[in-house]
Structure formats: C-alpha cells, structure tokens
Amino acid sequence: MTEGGRCLFDEIKALGFTGCLNLLHKYINQGAAARRLLRERITFGDLAPGAPLPSELRLVQEHGLSRTSVRQAIALLSSEGLVVVEPPRGTFVRAVEPTETVTLLKGDTATARMPTPAERRELEMGEGVPVIVIFRADGSRELYAADRIRVGR
C-alpha cells in the first residue's frame, strides 16, 4: 500500500497506458543519465582510481535521480570493471593494476574470455574484467587477468 491507502497497481491504472509509458521512459532516461554522469566523472578524472563514489543518497539528492536508477548504474559500472562495490564500505573507482608483459613464443596462442567464479577468486579480480588464456606450444596453459598484462612477441 502507498500513502492514502492506494496500492501501486491502482496508481498505475490511474496513469493509463500513455502515463505508464512516460513514467517508464523517465526511469530509463534516469538510468542512462546516472551511468553517463558517473562514467564521465571517472573518465575525466573527477573521481580518481581508488576514490569513493558519492553515496546513493547524495547522487539522488544532487541530480534528481531515483535510487533505483543510481543502483542500476552502479551495478552496470561494476560489471564493466569501472567500479568496485565493497559492502558495507561503499563503491570505489577501480584502481589501475600494475601490468607485466607476457611474451608469446612460436606456436603459442592467446584468447580472451570471462572468468569463472573460481578463477575470479583465484586471481582476485573484480567484476567485468576478462581473463587472457595463453596456450603454450608445449601444451601448458597460463591464466591472467586482462587488466594486469600486456601480450607481446
């Protein structure tokens, strides 16, 4: 039930089809706006690697977004590997990892894919970061977090 004893279904019915579409469009636009806002602040350095993101409540109040839109934006940015969610501490811009160069020798091949949950734990990786699998000519296999290596010949 909502204020005044009306349930959400009654409110949706009262809006009508067009009203519901307008409301849905508003929330879709809010989600895109929240993602764009946070992505730009990260990309342009306003939020540096390791820096905390503003709280959900602050983003809602300062930018007129819904809490749901902010949560969805953070979830998407986490799946892209741009932010790390650390309950209950908060959400942080993912720090840039130091890289090493892995040399491919004659007969070696490399492929990229998303890691399994076990591989993610083993390599201590965040969400949204692929792995690079090196298949050596001798039949061995090496696994690396893609944000921590460079592949060279």
Side-chain angles (χ1 to χ4, degrees):
M1 291 297 221
T2 62
E3 276 185 41
R6 294 178 62 187
C7 71
L8 183 59
F9 180 73
D10 291 336
E11 290 182 27
I12 291 171
K13 236 168 57 175
L15 284 173
F17 181 73
T18 303
C20 285
L21 284 180
N22 288 339
L23 187 62
L24 180 61
H25 185 68
K26 172 186 168 189
Y27 283 108
I28 290 171
N29 286 341
Q30 278 193 358
R35 285 190 303 276
R36 186 172 49 252
L37 168 78
L38 292 171
R39 187 177 284 117
E40 286 176 1
R41 290 186 68 186
I42 292 167
T43 303
F44 294 117
D46 185 34
L47 292 169
L53 264 62
S55 69
E56 288 178 6
L57 183 59
R58 184 171 167 199
L59 290 167
V60 165
Q61 291 173 340
E62 289 183 1
H63 301 285
L65 300 166
S66 72
R67 196 167 206 139
T68 300
S69 296
V70 170
R71 286 181 179 157
Q72 288 173 345
I74 289 171
L76 181 64
L77 294 175
S78 174
S79 73
E80 292 174 0
L82 288 175
V83 300
V84 177
V85 180
E86 298 179 9
R89 291 186 57 224
T91 303
F92 300 85
V93 177
R94 190 171 63 80
V96 178
E97 300 285 342
T99 60
E100 67 175 288
T101 300
V102 176
T103 303
L104 290 181
L105 305 173
K106 186 174 183 172
D108 293 346
T109 59
T111 187
R113 63 173 171 76
M114 295 309 289
T116 65
E119 291 169 339
R120 186 176 308 287
R121 282 190 302 277
E122 177 188 332
L123 295 172
E124 298 177 355
M125 301 171 54
E127 290 289 324
V129 178
V131 291
I132 303 293
V133 184
I134 308 289
F135 297 97
R136 298 292 184 185
D138 66 4
S140 64
R141 184 184 82 126
E142 299 169 14
L143 190 67
Y144 299 93
D147 61 343
R148 298 181 199 152
I149 69 161
R150 292 182 183 172
V151 178
R153 285 239 178 235

